[in-house]
Amino acid sequence: MKTKQTTLFLLTLFLAVFLAACSDGDKENEHANMNHSDESEQDKNSSSTNQESMEGMDHMNHSHSSSGEVPKGLKEAVNPKFKVGSKAIINSDHMEGMKGAEAAIVGAFDTTVYTISYTPTTGRGKVTNHKWIIHEEIQDTIDKPYKPGDEVIVEADHMKGMKDAKAAIDSVQQTTVYMVDYTSTTGGEQVKNHKWVTESELSAK
């Protein structure tokens, strides 16, 4: 009788240990799966952040050189603060290497300028508060200046994916804009016919 009780006790003990081990294994597997899921989300977030960073870098490193052609109807400034052929210092930082660069004034025009937010037609991430496009660079433009919040179609092609993109007007300013040549302060790159720099973004040399 004693032997049967001992055997039953041992079997019960073994079963209890076995079930406990299985339970711990399930918890470990569940924990491992949770970690894997967390890492996947982190990888996704990291990938998204890297893509946004690359888009920003792509925007900052764009040469912004152009052919020098200006839109039809754009009027030359009658008495600009900075004359064509003169030199000035750029105080804006639209792109890397611009701020502090010496600029040669190539053109001066009186118009309405806008900052815009738009999603490039290339499918890349949204660009916010892009400086600048001018009134004459909007498709099917109206006679009066647009207002903040208005939606327009961009005619300008300063950046890849800008032309034909739908944009929201962020700000409006009536001023003289300049087309300039300058040498980047961060690598010596020659930028020709950059569009645009406003009068307030330049200072006398």
Side-chain angles (χ1 to χ4, degrees), residues 164-185:
D164 298 324
K166 181 183 287 187
I169 302 294
D170 295 321
S171 71
V172 184
Q173 185 181 162
Q174 185 75 36
T175 186
T176 301
V177 296
Y178 297 86
M179 184 162 56
V180 298
D181 293 344
Y182 70 94
T183 300
S184 171
T185 61

Side-chain angles (χ1 to χ4, degrees), residues 118-173:
Y118 69 98
T119 300
T121 58
T122 54
R124 297 183 72 85
K126 186 175 182 180
V127 176
T128 58
N129 295 308
H130 171 81
K131 297 180 179 178
W132 305 89
I133 68 166
I134 61 175
H135 191 76
E136 292 77 7
E137 292 176 323
I138 293 173
Q139 289 184 18
D140 302 321
T141 188
I142 59 177
D143 292 335
K144 296 180 180 179
Y146 293 94
K147 299 176 181 178
D150 286 347
E151 289 193 345
V152 299
I153 303 297
V154 182
E155 180 68 26
D157 59 354
H158 305 167
M159 307 286 298
K160 187 175 181 180
M162 173 180 278
K163 186 177 172 64
D164 298 324
K166 181 183 287 187
I169 302 294
D170 295 321
S171 71
V172 184
Q173 185 181 162

Side-chain angles (χ1 to χ4, degrees), residues 9-23:
F9 172 76
L10 290 174
L11 285 172
T12 303
L13 182 63
F14 176 76
L15 185 60
V17 171
F18 178 76
L19 291 174
C22 288
S23 176

